[in-house]
Structure formats: C-alpha cells, structure tokens
C-alpha cells in the first residue's frame, strides 16, 4: 500500500520517537504521522516487566529532570500514578568495604594505605602539557593514578567492555562526576548537620511506582489510535523514491525521524558509512526477586572488582516501598557489561550472578522466587574521535535528504530520557 504524500514517518516508538510524535502533532494536528516500531510493543529501553508481583525495568531507570516543564508535561499525562522522589544512596564495594559514591570524593573512607596512595597520586597528578588524549588519560590527569587505577578504570572498563584509552575525553559527557582537589579535600571534613549527603546529576531522582513505562504511557496518551504501528520494522528507505519500506507497505514521506541505531539507519538507507567506527557494549540485565528483604538502606552498589561478574546491583525494593499487604521481598537488578560480539550462556550467567551475590553477602538464606533477563544491545556506545566525526558527517548528510537521526542510538551518544525529549522537542520546532 502507498499512502499519500506529506507524511512524517517516525522510526522507533521509544522515548525519542514518541516524544517527537507528540511535539509534531501539537504543531500539525492534521498532518499524516506514522510511528513504526519493530518490536511488538512500544517503549524501547524505557520498559517495565511486571512478574509475580515484582515491578522491573529493562535495567534500573531513574529520572532526574533539569527542565521542570518536561517533567510537568509528563506528570500531567499520568494522573493517579504515584511518582516517588528519592535521595540517592549509592555505594561502591571496594576491598570488602562500602565506600560512598562517588569514589573520588570519598577516598578518606578507603583502607589507610589506599587512601594515602590516592591522595599522594592526586597531589602529584600530571598537570600542564598537551590536552588529554583519551578518556582514560583525562581521568589520570584530573584525578591521579591512584583513584583511576583503583576504581575509575576497572569499573568503567567492566561496564564499557573496552579500553578507556580508546574513548574520547567526552565519552561520558555531563554524567561523569567531576571533582577537583579542593572538593575532594573539603569532603574529608565531617558533614555539617543537614548538609546533603548525595551530590551529582542524580543526587535526587524520581521513579514512578508503576515503573519507567509509565512515562511511555504518558507519551502515548495524546496520540490518536493507529498512529503507532508495532511489529512493523522499517526495512529500507528508498531515498530516490522517498519511500519507507516495511513488510506491509511502502510509505511515501516528506521527512523521516529515526531513533534506530545510526549504523542500522545508514544500512537501511544504503548510505555509505564506516561501520567499524560504531562499536558499543551490550548489557545483560537480570531482574531477580527473592522471598525476603536484604540490605535496607541502599539503592545501588558499584563493583569494580574484576572477580565479580556484575558492575552494578540495584535494589528496587528500597526505592519503591511495597504496597500495603504485599510481602516485604528483595527485588534486584543486576547489570553485566560485555563486548557486543560476546556469546554468553544465559543459564550459566545467572548461576554466576547468584554465586557472586552470595559471595558479596547480598543473598544469604534467600530463595529466588522470580527472575527475568534482557539484553540491551547496544547499551553504552563507545564515543571515540572517529565515531564523533562519522556521526556528525552521516547525520548531516541524511538530514540533507530529510532523514533525521535522533535519540541515544540515533545520535550515537550517552544521554538520559530527558535529553531525548529535549532533542525531540527542538527538532519538531526546527522542522515546524
Ligand atoms: C543500562 C541503561 C540504563 C539506563 N538508565 C537510565 C536512567 O536511569 N535514566 C534515564 O533517563 N535514562 C537511562 N538510560 C537511557 C535511556 O534508556 C535512553 O536514553 C532512552 O531509552 C533512549 O530512547 P530512544 O527512543 O532514543 O531509543 P530506544 O529506547 O532504543 O528506542 C528506539 C526504538 O526504535 C526501534 N527500532 C529500531 N530499529 C527499528 C526499525 N528499523 N524499524 C522500526 N523500529 C525500530 C526499537 O525497537 C526501539 O523501540 C539507560 C540506558 C541504559 C542502556
């Protein structure tokens, strides 16, 4: 089937695609708009699984809005849904101790020899000279060898599943908790009464009681029925004919807005590109439900130790209190970073996760009563000098043909759902 001209085709019904669709409709209520989603349901990575009374996301998704109007816009579309506001309690398990996050601001909590090494290396870190060559080099120059080698490098290499010296200085953007020597030393003083314990972009975060998918429901609310077509992937884009090809139809477009991963979009558009520059990790997420509570005062914990399979474990049950009458149980998410081409046996990985949780005394005499597994691939893209240059070139050349690549994977970047909504709003305004 071929639909009429003037149609805007959105590829992907995640936060970016749905965000764009809402802003476009606000500006052009009568224009043709189709949102194609390859999966059977909308949401992309912002999705929730409800199983045996546990509410789990596709890995812990917590929210921190810098734009109050964006949060208000979403909240206005989710009446009756409770949204919890939580002050973050995050720690790092280091050599059997629990150190407050971020590591670099709490080195005074380390065993004394490690503390002294971090402090001396911080003081004598290399300064001056050339600008940092890589993300790894930036860490070393800003925070010294001690902090870098004890936490930042092992933790981030476990997460990204790559050498930090491959990554660009901007690899984590605003999400990297920078600290200078004065902050680090000042933080060694005991905290004045009432001073906030948590700092950084997610010091306070929000979380809907029904899981991250509540934000997707909010984004779907004002779209007319039939706008989003699930189970209908964009297989090809014929730029000469200006048509998107799906298994069901060919759709003539005026413009395409895609949140599919950029190398995939380039492929379906037959746009010349260098696929080798687009590397990323994948993240295996295990959501685990246990018959009784574990630690009560923690939201998530980082594990730099290479002997532990996971890089982070989080406690949903300490973020959302159980409904009245519901059992007080432990509800975990466990994240494992891996190279995108790694073949991992899920059953063996789950056994390894349970063994490591027991070694860390997170699980003691608990019984596993429910579990769920999902792989996010890509999860964290490897931002390198080459990926930045190729991303800019490719997005500009596609935009010249009215194909706009947006979102975490369409822009091949590191961002939050709020960043996705801001980008979608700006693009709708620019095109409108
Ligand atoms: C481990 C992890 C933890 C995170 N935690 C947080 C957090 O705590 N807070 C936060 O704000 N953000 C978090 N994020 C980021 C957040 O998940 C993303 O910013 C957001 O979900 C990206 O939305 P998107 O729409 O750009 O992409 P996606 O969610 O990837 O959506 C793209 C959609 O496009 C569809 N698609 C792909 N190809 C095609 C095709 N050819 N045809 C049709 N459809 C197609 C996909 O099926 C998908 O539904 C996290 C990300 C990860 C990986």
């Amino acid at each position: 089937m071929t639909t009429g001209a003037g149609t805007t085709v959105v590829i992907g019904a995640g936060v970016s695609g749905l965000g764009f669709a809402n802003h476009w409709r606000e500006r052009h209520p009568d224009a043709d708009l189709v949102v194609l989603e390859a999966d059977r349901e909308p949401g992309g990575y912002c999705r929730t699984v409800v199983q045996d009374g546990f509410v789990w996301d596709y890995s812990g998704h917590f929210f921190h809005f810098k734009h109050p109007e964006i949060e208000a816009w979403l909240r206005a579309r989710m009446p009756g849904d409770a949204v919890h506001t939580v002050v973050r309690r995050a720690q790092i398990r280091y050599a059997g101790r629990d150190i407050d996050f971020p590591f670099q601001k709490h080195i005074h909590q380390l065993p004394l020899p490690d503390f002294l090494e971090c402090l001396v290396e911080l003081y004598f870190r290399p300064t001056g000279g050339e600008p940092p060559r890589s993300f790894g080099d930036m860490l070393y120059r800003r925070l010294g060898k001690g902090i870098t080698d004890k936490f930042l490098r092992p933790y981030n290499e476990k997460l990204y599943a790559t050498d930090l010296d491959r990554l660009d200085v901007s690899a984590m953007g605003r999400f990297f908790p920078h600290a200078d020597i004065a902050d680090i030393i000042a933080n060694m003083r005991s905290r004045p009464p009432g001073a906030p314990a948590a700092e950084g972009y997610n010091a306070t975060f929000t979380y809907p009681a029904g899981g991250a998918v509540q934000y997707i429901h909010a984004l779907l609310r004002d779209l007319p029925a039939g706008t989003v077509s699930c189970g209908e992937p964009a297989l090809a884009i014929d730029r000469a004919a200006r048509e998107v090809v799906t298994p069901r139809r060919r759709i003539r477009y005026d413009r395409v807005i895609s949140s599919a991963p950029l190398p995939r979009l380039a492929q379906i558009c037959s746009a010349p590109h260098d696929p080798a520059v687009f590397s990323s990790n994948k993240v295996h997420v295990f959501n685990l439900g246990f018959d009784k509570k574990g630690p009560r005062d923690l939201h998530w914990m980082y594990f730099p130790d290479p002997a532990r399979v996971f890089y982070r474990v989080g406690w949903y049950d300490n973020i959302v209190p159980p409904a009245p009458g519901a059992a007080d149980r432990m509800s975990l998410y466990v994240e494992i970073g891996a190279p995108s081409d790694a073949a991992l046996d899920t059953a063996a990985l789950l056994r390894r996760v349970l063994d490591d949780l027991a070694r860390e005394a997170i699980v003691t005499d608990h019984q596993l009563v429910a579990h769920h597994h999902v792989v996010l691939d890509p999860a964290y893209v490897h931002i390198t000098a080459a990926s930045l240059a190729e991303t800019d070139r490719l997005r500009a050349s596609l935009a010249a043909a009215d194909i706009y690549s947006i979102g975490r994977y369409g822009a091949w970047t590191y961002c939050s759902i709020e960043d996705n909504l801001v980008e979608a709003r700006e693009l709708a305004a620019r095109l409108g």
Side-chain angles (χ1 to χ4, degrees):
M1 164 187 138
T2 302
T3 56
T7 299
T8 298
V9 179
V10 175
I11 300 178
V15 173
S16 300
L18 295 177
F20 180 86
N22 274 273
H23 289 296
W24 191 252
R25 254 193 62 76
E26 276 169 12
R27 289 168 176 273
H28 308 277
D30 301 321
D32 282 345
L33 175 66
V34 181
V35 181
L36 300 173
E37 171 51 54
D39 222 317
R40 278 171 310 162
E41 50 185 88
Y45 285 176
C46 193
R47 249 194 273 181
T48 301
V49 185
V50 180
Q51 194 178 310
D52 301 307
F54 293 99
V55 178
W56 293 320
D57 291 338
Y58 276 25
S59 131
H61 265 71
F62 307 110
F63 304 98
H64 23 84
F65 290 92
K66 293 184 302 289
H67 296 260
E69 77 287 359
I70 290 190
E71 186 168 21
W73 187 95
L74 289 166
R75 297 273 278 263
R77 284 158 183 76
M78 38 201 291
D81 286 324
V83 177
H84 298 278
T85 300
V86 184
V87 177
R88 184 193 71 214
R89 291 195 305 270
Q91 291 188 318
I92 296 143
R93 183 140 299 168
Y94 179 86
R97 282 196 192 193
D98 295 343
I99 310 296
D100 287 328
F101 177 84
F103 184 90
Q104 49 270 41
K105 284 191 130 185
H106 297 95
I107 52 175
H108 55 289
Q109 297 175 2
L110 293 170
L112 187 61
D114 291 336
F115 167 47
L116 291 177
E117 192 185 332
C118 288
L119 194 61
V120 170
E121 295 287 351
L122 175 67
Y123 187 78
F124 289 112
R125 71 200 182 283
T127 50
E130 301 277 294
R133 291 181 310 275
S134 65
F135 186 62
D137 190 35
M138 181 272 287
L139 298 178
Y140 177 57
R141 287 172 187 232
R142 285 216 180 163
L143 295 160
K145 191 168 165 5
I147 292 174
T148 301
D149 290 353
K150 287 182 196 307
F151 176 69
L152 294 172
R153 185 176 286 278
Y155 173 74
N156 284 297
E157 290 193 340
K158 224 167 144 183
L159 183 155
Y160 280 100
T162 197
D163 181 346
L164 297 191
D165 291 327
R166 277 191 61 222
L167 302 183
D168 187 75
V169 171
S170 65
M172 280 180 71
R174 71 179 170 89
F175 297 92
F176 181 75
H178 284 291
D180 62 22
I181 194 162
D183 293 331
I184 294 170
I185 305 282
N187 211 42
M188 292 176 193
R189 289 191 183 131
S190 52
R191 198 169 280 125
E199 297 168 49
Y201 75 91
N202 61 356
T204 304
F205 61 90
T206 57
Y207 187 69
V213 77
Q214 299 305 332
Y215 290 132
I216 295 296
H217 293 161
L219 288 166
L220 287 167
R221 204 189 75 156
D222 296 343
L223 295 179
T227 306
V228 180
S229 177
C230 288
E232 185 174 11
L235 298 178
I237 298 178
D238 181 337
R239 286 189 283 168
R242 293 177 76 85
E243 288 180 345
V244 177
V245 183
T246 83
R248 298 184 207 155
R249 51 186 164 161
R250 297 179 74 92
I251 310 169
R252 257 192 87 88
Y253 64 80
D254 257 12
R255 59 195 68 75
V256 173
I257 288 57
S258 170
S259 54
L262 182 58
R264 174 74 187 131
L265 176 67
Q267 206 182 15
I268 67 178
C269 289
S270 308
H273 67 289
D274 180 0
V277 307
F278 294 107
S279 71
S280 55
N281 79 345
K282 64 181 168 191
V283 169
H284 281 258
V285 180
F286 287 96
N287 288 310
L288 305 175
F290 294 90
D291 61 340
K292 59 179 183 183
K293 287 280 284 186
R296 288 178 181 268
D297 54 356
L298 195 56
H299 299 135
W300 58 83
M301 184 174 258
Y302 301 89
F303 292 85
D305 182 353
R308 296 292 168 258
V309 68
F310 35 74
Y311 65 81
R312 185 166 57 181
V313 173
W315 282 260
Y316 285 110
D317 53 303
N318 290 338
I319 292 169
V320 181
D328 221 5
R329 305 184 292 181
M330 181 160 72
S331 175
L332 299 183
Y333 64 90
V334 176
E335 295 171 311
I336 299 162
S340 57
D341 57 359
L344 295 172
D345 169 349
T346 308
L349 205 53
L350 175 58
R351 284 195 296 278
R352 174 87 198 275
V353 165
L354 293 172
D355 287 349
D356 281 357
L357 289 172
R359 287 192 186 97
E360 294 295 345
I362 293 170
V363 167
T364 53
D365 55 348
H366 296 75
Q367 290 299 317
L368 181 69
V369 294
H371 63 95
H372 162 260
H373 170 250
V374 63
V375 183
L376 308 180
D377 182 12
Y380 291 89
V381 306
H382 296 153
I383 298 177
T384 64
S387 81
L388 289 168
E390 184 64 345
T391 297
D392 282 354
R393 186 198 65 75
L394 201 48
R395 290 178 82 200
S397 89
L398 291 172
D402 299 314
I403 299 170
Y404 301 90
S405 188
I406 63 167
R408 180 167 168 122
Y409 303 104
W412 207 251
T413 190
Y414 188 142
C415 64
S416 70
I417 67 154
E418 185 189 39
D419 298 322
N420 300 137
L421 292 171
V422 169
E423 183 189 29
R425 180 175 69 180
E426 284 173 0
L427 180 64
R430 189 150 51 88
L431 299 181

